[in-house]
Amino acid sequence: MPDRSGLVVAVLAAVLLYALPAAGDALFALAAAAALHASLRVPRRAQALSLSAGLLWGALCALALLLLTDRTGVRYVWIYSGSALPAHLKLANLWGGDEGTLLLLAAFCVTLAARGAAARTARLDAAALLPAAYVLIVLWLRPFAATPAAWLAQSASQGMNAHLMKVWMLLHAPLILAAYAWTLSLAAPALQALAGAAPRWPATALPHARRAWALLTAGIGFGMVWAFEDAMYGQVWHWDPVQTAVFAVWCLLGAHLHGVGGWRAGRAMWRWVPATA
């Protein structure tokens, strides 16, 4: 979560967007601008990232409230939710669609980028540039757009995907997204190492890799239980592209963790450790 000033921004943003969802585009544009500023300018980098994080977490809170209160006038709520759903499934729909998923991933990434931002003095900050790109995609997807009148006339809502109506939706998806955010946070130290700016692997990057691996392991585990219970799959593993891709990331993280302990720039095959990151 963001720092104290970011929390104030988050509360204000949540109140604004719940009352006036049409302000979503302007809010995401501001969040993207703040993250882009942080990626390109060293002065006030931490403050800009804190502002962006506060705006994104506020947007997430507002979207959760819109789902819980069945505000189907918002397109995202109409597409992914329904008034007959229990509260926990309405809340799970926060990451039930591409718009919400990318918003949550962007919030995780920008929050991690805000941590230690004052100590990053590189002219181009990859830690801030990645979430800036995600926020721009969220702006394009427009999660707070109004539902077309023709859709509302057709039905009260489209409803939730039947395959997502499991309690594991509350655990699997956010754990995977958090793991992706911790994994993406390895990009900045990896690029510094490949550029020769880090003679030893940064100590702060190792906990990020460990947390990414632990979260991804838990997320995959809950996903396996979910797949076993789902009538369409009925087994804990089947080599579809999504599972295979996630497993590849898990393997790379494991290899990365084994390599960073004795990493030194200039050693034989020293590039493979930052390359996996």
Side-chain angles (χ1 to χ4, degrees), residues 98-126:
D98 291 340
E99 304 94 328
T101 297
L102 279 167
L103 176 55
L104 182 58
L105 181 57
F108 280 146
C109 288
V110 79
T111 302
L112 289 177
R115 296 180 178 181
R120 297 196 302 271
T121 57
R123 183 68 177 82
L124 179 64
D125 185 22

Side-chain angles (χ1 to χ4, degrees), residues 3-255:
D3 58 21
R4 184 174 298 179
S5 61
L7 285 173
V8 174
V9 173
V11 171
L12 294 175
V15 172
L16 172 65
L17 287 183
Y18 184 74
L20 188 64
D25 290 352
L27 183 143
F28 291 130
L30 179 58
L36 282 172
H37 170 85
S39 69
L40 299 172
R41 300 291 300 275
V42 177
R44 305 189 68 81
R45 174 171 285 167
Q47 293 88 337
L49 288 171
S50 178
L51 171 63
S52 185
L55 292 171
L56 295 180
W57 284 109
L60 280 165
C61 290
L63 193 56
L65 289 172
L66 291 168
L67 287 162
L68 289 170
T69 54
D70 300 319
R71 291 276 296 276
T72 53
V74 175
R75 185 179 63 192
Y76 187 88
V77 179
W78 187 92
I79 293 175
Y80 299 110
S81 190
S83 59
L85 292 172
H88 71 279
L89 289 181
K90 291 180 182 179
L91 184 61
N93 274 319
L94 190 60
W95 44 83
D98 291 340
E99 304 94 328
T101 297
L102 279 167
L103 176 55
L104 182 58
L105 181 57
F108 280 146
C109 288
V110 79
T111 302
L112 289 177
R115 296 180 178 181
R120 297 196 302 271
T121 57
R123 183 68 177 82
L124 179 64
D125 185 22
L129 189 60
L130 282 169
Y134 280 123
V135 180
L136 286 172
I137 299 173
V138 172
L139 174 60
W140 175 60
L141 292 174
R142 304 185 66 212
F144 288 90
T147 307
W151 295 10
L152 288 170
Q154 174 186 342
S155 63
S157 65
Q158 182 170 269
M160 191 175 186
N161 185 324
H163 293 293
L164 304 183
M165 292 184 185
K166 301 285 185 180
V167 69
W168 307 112
M169 179 72 170
L170 290 169
L171 300 170
H172 168 71
L175 283 172
I176 292 291
L177 292 172
Y180 286 167
W182 285 111
T183 303
L184 288 167
S185 72
L186 303 176
L191 290 171
Q192 291 176 6
L194 287 171
R200 298 192 61 175
W201 197 255
T204 54
L206 184 56
H208 287 210
R210 287 172 174 164
R211 290 164 189 163
W213 186 89
L215 288 168
L216 194 58
T217 301
I220 290 173
F222 285 123
M224 292 169 72
V225 176
W226 186 356
F228 184 76
E229 291 185 0
D230 194 292
M232 179 177 175
Y233 301 106
Q235 54 188 351
V236 296
W237 195 267
H238 54 104
W239 293 91
D240 72 3
V242 174
Q243 288 184 336
T244 305
V246 173
F247 180 65
V249 174
W250 184 84
C251 291
L252 285 171
L253 279 169

